[in-house]
Amino acid sequence: LVLELNQVIIPTYGTVPDQQNLHTPEWADFDDKPDSLFFSDGQRRIDFVLVYEDESKKTTHKRSDRKKQKRKRQVYESNLINNGLQLEATRSVLDEKLIFVKVHAPWEVLCTYAEVMHIKLPLQPDDLKTRDSAFNWFSRFFRVDENIIKPEQEFFTAPFRKEHLSNFYIQDKDTFFNPATRSRIVYFILSRVEYATKNNVKKFGINKLLDTGIYKAAFPLHDSRFRHPSTDPNCPSERYLLYREWAHPKNIFKLQPLDFIRKYYGEKIGIYFAWLGFYTNMLIVAAFVGVGCFLYGCLTKDNCTWSQEVCDPNIGGNIIMCPQCDKVCTYWNLTITCESSKKLCIFDSFGTLVFAVFMGIWVTLFLEFWKQRQAELEYEWDTVEYLEQEEQVRPEYEAQCTHVVKNEITQQEEYVPYTACGKCIRMTFCTSAIFFWILLIIASVIGIIVYRLSVFLVFSSTLSQHINGTEAIRKYLTPQTATSVTASLISFIVIMVLNIIYEKVAVVITDFELPRTQTDYENSLTTKMFLFQFVNYYSSCFYIAFFKGKFVGHPGNPVYWLGKYRNEECDPGGCLLELTTQLAIIVGGKAIWNNIQEVLLPWVKNLIGRCGAAARAEKVLPRWEQDYHLQPIGKLGLFYEYLEMVIQFGFVTLFVASFPLAPLLALINNMLEIRLDAWKLTTQFRRMVPQKAQDIGAWQPIMQGIAILAVVTNAMIIAFTSDMIPRLVYYWSFSVPPYGSHSSHTMKGYINSTLSVFNISDFKNASKPFSPWFGNQTTCRQVYRDLRYPAGHQHQYEHNIYYWHVIAAKLAFIIVMEHVIYFVNFIISYVIPDVSEKTKSKVKREKYLTQKLLHENDLKVVKKTMGKIADKIIKEVDNTFRPKAE
């Protein structure tokens, strides 16, 4: 590609013209046509806009710096003109310091670069017949009216070649390259034209000029205002139609016009909204089943025998629990946890097990069906061979290509930015940096755990004293609840703060890696960011689900953190309810925070900008100046939208056994997210540079990894976090002889049999409570589900046989559940192909017809040429032999 640019496309690349040879843009005044998308002559279309501040009017820089900036800008614009682009400059209507440089690519330039970029363009209309789906009669009620947004005509396409120009479907040169393609070609040129050479190092590209402040903005134009159609009758007003039929809140239940989105914003934006819409549709089934399981828990909670025993004053009221911390904590009555046990019955039911198995299968169905849908879009949007044919090297990579190596395939010399040793050093540095930041996240999680341990002591000693007179509050505001809620809120704040830091760190590390293409860059950044976010978001949930309350010892020999803080214990009902609370706070808080950050902030910034220009609002503004005052799109585009949704996908799948309503909350959030993202793009931001994309990139394998991990985590949540397995073991084995005393299987006596007995005289001095013991009892009960022999037994305070039965049942359950789900998922993956037979047939048919068409056209040219040559030869032979014959 570099050779092509040097030899063919950019002959002045690497040379800076002299001052007298500089070409300058044409100057034109604004013609008072606010919706015009053309130069002042009304013929040449504006494909891109560059904005800079007049150096002669700047006051913030030194004079010498202003001269350097002006020189670089003039050289850059001159090189743009040398490469065939046409420029026209117009001064701002509102701010005379600002200059808008409009860029137009003529037909020859578009053809040349379309061939270099291997852009696929129409050959002839698609004559393949498509059968309507059986569900079309139903989906038509949710589709956009085809009279408003007409379906795009399908074409057979092929990579553009100038010598095959006659083969392509060219009805009008002005519309053959649509606005999105024109902008993409111009941006390709802008990213590779030089503006300076320093120490034999070429400096080029619009991105560097934007970073240094030489240009203030660079963007393609929206084609109209979003609230009103364009006054130009030839303008299709696609932005207005997108806002009206897609981004407006009234369309929340409508299907998205994906082909129209792709046409206006490019394939990269289109594939994101296609994926988000597909994910949201699949969530409908998951939400329906989750709500059903939740309702099942609500309906059966009154039949929850173990909860009734906790709340029974004759059973739970007579059970005195041991203190949960050293010295300052007091003995407490089991009935305090009555309300939490009732709530736990809703989530810790048989329906939870069914839902966990269902979600393990649902996630595979979602990924397999999405692969099929993605393959269909690749065919329909001509991205099947995009990565092999069209994707170009990043300008930042090209600029560093100073080392010569031999290509193993072509055996020719080529330039690379670093040697094998340099690459090894870069990878070592980047890997070390990633591990350092992950360890830093883990350190913050440990800080939250220490907070939990220390603040629990405070709540245990002070909370009951301050709310003695309010029984209703005391019933709900237990030390465990107060600690859990405050720790979850602090954890959420820490997560949000660390996110801001990690985003910048990940970008710096990826820039240092210097990936070759934009896809490589985004995939590398995606992997790092998700790794950071995975540890950041999920670590607290993993701690509550699998570590909290699992290694606490017993009152006579507790386990300590850092030799000082006694390890946390779960509520008597287990940690499942606390995990549910943590998930609800993080998922809900994250959704609110992201919407504020993504939607409210751009809206406020634009509002402030409009208020600042209110005094000059009477003036008519051109299209380019209206767009300039919108918010710029970040360099990473929709990266953070993907990240937000995949993190949500993790919450919906990894911990769904503790919170069956998670898919419902995700469904509601996503229905709003689609319209908010659409509203944001069409109303608050400048138009993005259209980009190609074959698929959703590294997010696909990340989701596949989450799907595999989700089966394990949900099996372990049911086995180790919920109380389902101990209850089942008691019901089937320990409620009846030889271990139990009941004549038939029952849950009666479950609470009394699972709370181990501890003699208060066995407390160590370091952990003995200050509060005096009341009554004539000499024992208290240990933490729920501890399952130890009582005091006086020959194996006192050691785990009893019930404990080992439960452990065996838990391990067996995990193995069986995992293998069953993995086997079903394997069958599903085998049965559902990644590319449907219908799509395969279409791709083969298109390739066949395209090759046939190109071959036939080439054959016609050859026949025509050979025919002329044959006629010429015959004529020469005839002239040669005619005199002799005479």
Side-chain angles (χ1 to χ4, degrees):
L1 176 63
V2 174
L3 290 174
E4 286 186 44
L5 289 172
N6 284 337
Q7 296 173 7
V8 182
I9 306 304
I10 307 179
T12 59
Y13 196 95
T15 62
V16 178
D18 297 330
Q19 183 70 39
Q20 62 270 20
N21 295 328
L22 287 179
H23 300 284
T24 58
E26 307 166 18
W27 279 86
D29 294 328
F30 173 47
D31 55 6
D32 292 328
K33 295 179 180 178
D35 290 333
S36 176
L37 301 175
F38 296 89
F39 279 18
S40 58
D41 58 13
Q43 301 296 321
R44 291 173 291 174
R45 184 183 182 89
I46 301 172
D47 298 317
F48 226 88
V49 175
L50 308 177
V51 187
Y52 69 91
E53 189 174 349
D54 192 344
E55 292 85 1
S56 62
K57 299 182 183 295
K58 281 186 178 180
T59 57
T60 55
H61 296 82
K62 293 181 181 178
R63 185 175 180 181
S64 58
D65 292 338
R66 294 200 297 269
K67 281 188 175 181
K68 288 180 182 179
Q69 287 189 345
K70 184 176 182 180
R71 171 67 177 170
K72 290 177 180 178
R73 178 183 57 76
Q74 289 176 334
V75 169
Y76 181 73
E77 291 174 357
S78 178
N79 281 339
L80 289 178
I81 296 172
N82 287 339
N83 283 282
L85 296 180
Q86 297 174 3
L87 310 183
E88 183 181 83
T90 301
R91 196 170 291 276
S92 168
V93 174
L94 293 179
D95 185 355
E96 61 179 10
K97 293 180 182 179
L98 292 180
I99 308 295
F100 292 89
V101 179
K102 294 158 284 183
V103 183
H104 169 75
W107 171 258
E108 283 299 322
V109 173
L110 293 172
C111 291
T112 301
Y113 280 91
E115 183 172 351
V116 171
M117 297 169 68
H118 306 286
I119 295 176
K120 284 188 171 184
L121 291 168
L123 284 172
Q124 70 175 32
D126 188 348
D127 59 356
L128 294 177
K129 295 181 180 179
T130 58
R131 265 188 288 178
D132 290 337
S133 169
F135 296 99
N136 269 6
W137 66 271
F138 178 74
S139 63
R140 73 172 183 268
F141 297 108
F142 301 97
R143 288 201 300 263
V144 176
D145 188 352
E146 293 185 356
N147 294 321
I148 299 175
I149 297 181
K150 296 180 180 179
E152 293 294 313
Q153 185 178 5
E154 297 293 332
F155 288 94
F156 292 129
T157 60
F160 185 78
R161 299 282 299 275
K162 287 177 73 174
E163 60 265 28
H164 295 155
L165 189 64
S166 59
N167 296 340
F168 288 89
Y169 190 77
I170 305 176
Q171 289 188 319
D172 185 353
K173 287 186 177 181
D174 293 333
T175 58
F176 179 64
F177 295 97
N178 63 35
T181 304
R182 297 176 69 100
S183 297
R184 191 154 69 93
I185 291 174
V186 171
Y187 182 72
F188 179 86
I189 302 171
L190 294 176
S191 300
R192 286 161 173 78
V193 168
E194 183 196 357
Y195 61 85
T197 301
K198 185 176 182 180
N199 299 327
N200 293 324
V201 176
K202 293 169 286 194
K203 295 184 177 181
F204 59 91
I206 187 63
N207 291 329
K208 288 186 178 180
L209 293 172
L210 289 170
D211 292 338
T212 55
I214 294 176
Y215 284 101
K216 296 178 71 68
F219 52 89
L221 288 178
H222 282 297
D223 67 347
S224 67
R225 289 174 291 177
F226 69 89
R227 292 189 185 277
H228 307 285
S230 174
T231 54
D232 184 353
N234 296 322
C235 177
S237 299
E238 293 175 349
R239 184 192 186 194
Y240 165 73
L241 292 176
L242 282 171
Y243 172 74
R244 178 181 158 189
E245 301 297 328
W246 176 49
H248 198 280
K250 69 177 182 179
N251 303 308
I252 192 168
F253 296 110
K254 278 189 176 183
L255 297 175
Q256 302 180 84
L258 293 176
D259 290 333
F260 201 63
I261 297 168
R262 171 247 183 172
K263 178 186 176 185
Y264 190 76
Y265 286 112
E267 286 77 8
K268 200 164 201 173
I269 301 290
I271 199 76
Y272 165 74
F273 282 103
W275 172 79
L276 182 55
F278 187 85
Y279 170 45
T280 304
N281 291 337
M282 288 292 290
L283 278 174
I284 295 174
V285 180
F288 181 78
V289 177
V291 170
C293 293
F294 176 76
L295 294 176
Y296 172 82
C298 292
L299 294 174
T300 58
K301 71 173 183 177
D302 294 333
N303 300 325
C304 192
T305 307
W306 66 271
S307 176
Q308 292 172 358
E309 290 186 352
V310 170
C311 298
D312 190 340
N314 297 321
I315 301 177
N318 293 327
I319 295 178
I320 305 301
M321 303 297 292
C322 298
Q324 290 187 293
C325 64
D326 294 338
K327 295 186 177 181
V328 296
C329 293
T330 62
Y331 299 96
W332 51 285
N333 196 289
L334 185 60
T335 52
I336 291 177
T337 62
C338 176
E339 293 300 323
S340 63
S341 68
K342 290 180 180 178
K343 295 173 187 173
L344 192 60
C345 285
I346 298 174
F347 298 101
D348 195 0
S349 65
F350 179 72
T352 302
L353 172 60
V354 174
F355 189 55
V357 174
F358 167 79
M359 287 301 294
I361 298 171
W362 172 90
V363 69
T364 301
L365 288 171
F366 162 65
L367 292 174
E368 292 302 319
F369 283 130
W370 165 246
K371 287 178 186 177
Q372 278 201 352
R373 175 61 177 147
Q374 188 170 255
E376 291 176 7
L377 292 175
E378 286 179 18
Y379 166 74
E380 293 172 4
W381 293 353
D382 290 321
T383 60
V384 176
E385 298 173 346
Y386 160 66
L387 292 180
E388 292 79 10
Q389 292 186 352
E390 289 186 43
E391 189 165 28
Q392 311 299 328
V393 177
R394 294 171 65 237
E396 293 83 357
Y397 181 92
E398 288 180 352
Q400 301 294 327
C401 289
T402 55
H403 300 279
V404 180
V405 297
K406 182 175 286 188
N407 189 304
E408 294 180 359
I409 299 173
T410 63
Q411 293 298 309
Q412 294 180 352
E413 290 186 347
E414 63 179 22
Y415 288 90
V416 295
Y418 36 66
T419 61
C421 180
K423 185 175 182 179
C424 183
I425 293 172
R426 285 173 182 264
M427 294 303 296
T428 303
F429 172 80
C430 294
T431 304
S432 303
I434 291 170
F435 277 113
F436 169 77
W437 285 101
I438 289 176
L439 290 174
L440 191 61
I441 302 173
I442 296 173
S444 69
V445 174
I446 294 174
I448 297 293
I449 295 172
V450 172
Y451 165 82
R452 286 174 175 271
L453 300 177
S454 57
V455 84
F456 180 74
L457 297 174
V458 178
F459 283 139
S460 298
S461 60
T462 61
L463 202 57
S464 58
Q465 300 174 10
H466 288 84
I467 60 172
N468 276 340
T470 313
E471 188 63 29
I473 298 177
R474 187 180 181 184
K475 190 164 58 172
Y476 293 99
L477 193 58
T478 62
Q480 293 92 343
T481 304
T483 302
S484 175
V485 172
T486 56
S488 296
L489 291 172
I490 293 174
S491 176
F492 169 71
I493 294 170
V494 170
I495 285 171
M496 289 297 121
V497 172
L498 290 178
N499 274 349
I500 299 172
I501 301 173
Y502 298 147
E503 287 171 5
K504 299 183 184 301
V505 170
V507 171
V508 170
I509 295 175
T510 310
D511 287 342
F512 182 75
E513 278 183 10
L514 205 63
R516 185 173 183 272
T517 65
Q518 185 64 23
T519 298
D520 294 338
Y521 181 89
E522 291 179 0
N523 288 345
S524 178
L525 181 61
T526 295
T527 304
K528 294 180 186 63
M529 282 295 293
F530 182 77
L531 202 57
F532 289 148
Q533 302 283 16
F534 183 90
V535 180
N536 199 14
Y537 276 109
Y538 301 142
S539 54
S540 58
C541 294
F542 273 100
Y543 166 72
I544 294 172
F546 306 123
F547 295 99
K548 184 181 176 184
K550 304 299 186 293
F551 313 101
V552 295
H554 60 85
N557 186 28
V559 177
Y560 290 91
W561 264 75
L562 308 176
K564 180 179 179 182
Y565 299 104
R566 181 168 164 177
N567 216 340
E568 271 191 297
E569 297 178 5
C570 293
D571 277 339
C575 286
L576 190 67
L577 195 60
E578 185 175 346
L579 179 59
T580 303
T581 304
Q582 178 84 354
L583 284 171
I585 289 176
I586 292 181
V587 173
K590 182 175 177 295
I592 295 170
W593 172 264
N594 285 332
N595 287 332
I596 290 174
Q597 196 174 25
E598 294 176 8
V599 177
L600 192 60
L601 287 181
W603 179 78
V604 170
K605 288 179 181 178
N606 287 334
L607 184 64
I608 293 172
R610 288 195 296 269
C611 291
R616 298 166 286 181
E618 317 82 41
K619 297 182 179 180
V620 177
L621 297 182
R623 172 82 267 135
W624 49 87
E625 192 156 356
Q626 294 176 43
D627 284 6
Y628 172 71
H629 291 293
L630 297 176
Q631 294 301 305
I633 287 285
K635 291 182 179 180
L636 298 178
L638 291 175
F639 172 82
Y640 295 110
E641 276 70 19
Y642 270 118
L643 181 63
E644 176 190 349
M645 288 296 104
V646 173
I647 291 292
Q648 182 209 83
F649 177 78
F651 280 119
V652 166
T653 54
L654 290 174
F655 306 101
V656 76
S658 65
F659 193 34
L661 294 179
L664 177 64
L665 296 182
L667 174 63
I668 296 170
N669 175 77
N670 289 5
M671 290 176 69
L672 296 173
E673 182 76 20
I674 290 173
R675 304 306 160 180
L676 287 175
D677 284 346
W679 177 84
K680 179 178 65 176
L681 280 178
T682 53
T683 67
Q684 303 301 308
F685 285 90
R686 298 170 190 158
R687 188 173 182 177
M688 293 181 67
V689 178
Q691 295 179 352
K692 281 273 189 179
Q694 188 175 20
D695 48 37
I696 60 174
W699 300 112
Q700 182 80 24
I702 285 174
M703 288 193 296
Q704 290 172 339
I706 291 175
I708 295 171
L709 183 60
V711 178
V712 180
T713 56
N714 284 302
M716 292 181 69
I717 286 173
I718 292 173
F720 291 107
T721 310
S722 80
D723 204 30
M724 184 177 297
I725 303 300
R727 291 201 303 268
L728 290 173
V729 171
Y730 176 83
Y731 181 83
W732 291 107
S733 299
F734 284 81
S735 63
V736 294
Y739 303 110
S741 57
H742 298 280
S743 58
S744 61
H745 298 290
T746 181
M747 284 302 296
K748 291 181 180 179
Y750 172 72
I751 294 297
N752 197 47
S753 67
T754 54
L755 292 176
S756 304
V757 179
F758 179 78
N759 194 321
I760 62 173
S761 62
D762 292 332
F763 272 120
K764 293 181 180 179
N765 291 330
S767 56
K768 191 172 184 178
F770 292 140
S771 59
W773 178 244
F774 53 89
N776 55 2
Q777 298 187 33
T778 59
T779 61
C780 63
R781 297 301 184 97
Q782 295 179 35
V783 65
Y784 201 25
R785 297 180 300 157
D786 202 27
L787 309 176
R788 295 177 185 270
Y789 287 114
H793 193 278
Q794 61 177 346
H795 299 294
Q796 69 172 9
Y797 305 142
E798 293 181 8
H799 290 299
N800 58 24
I801 191 170
Y802 186 9
Y803 172 84
W804 298 111
H805 274 73
V806 169
I807 289 295
K810 287 179 176 180
L811 295 176
F813 171 80
I814 291 174
I815 293 171
V816 171
M817 180 177 171
E818 285 181 3
H819 281 69
V820 168
I821 295 178
Y822 284 144
F823 177 74
V824 173
N825 289 347
F826 172 77
I827 297 297
I828 291 172
S829 301
Y830 180 78
V831 171
I832 303 175
D834 291 350
V835 183
S836 66
E837 292 300 323
K838 182 180 177 182
T839 304
K840 285 180 181 177
S841 299
K842 286 182 177 180
V843 172
K844 290 178 181 178
R845 173 70 176 164
E846 179 176 353
K847 281 187 175 180
Y848 166 74
L849 291 177
T850 300
Q851 291 174 357
K852 182 181 178 183
L853 177 65
L854 291 175
H855 175 71
E856 287 178 350
N857 287 337
D858 288 344
L859 197 59
K860 288 178 183 177
V861 172
V862 170
K863 285 182 177 179
K864 188 176 180 180
T865 305
M866 291 300 294
K868 289 180 179 179
I869 295 174
D871 291 341
K872 190 174 180 180
I873 292 173
I874 292 170
K875 187 176 181 180
E876 290 293 333
V877 170
D878 189 44
N879 291 336
T880 303
F881 290 101
R882 184 175 296 168
K884 292 182 179 180
E886 290 175 353

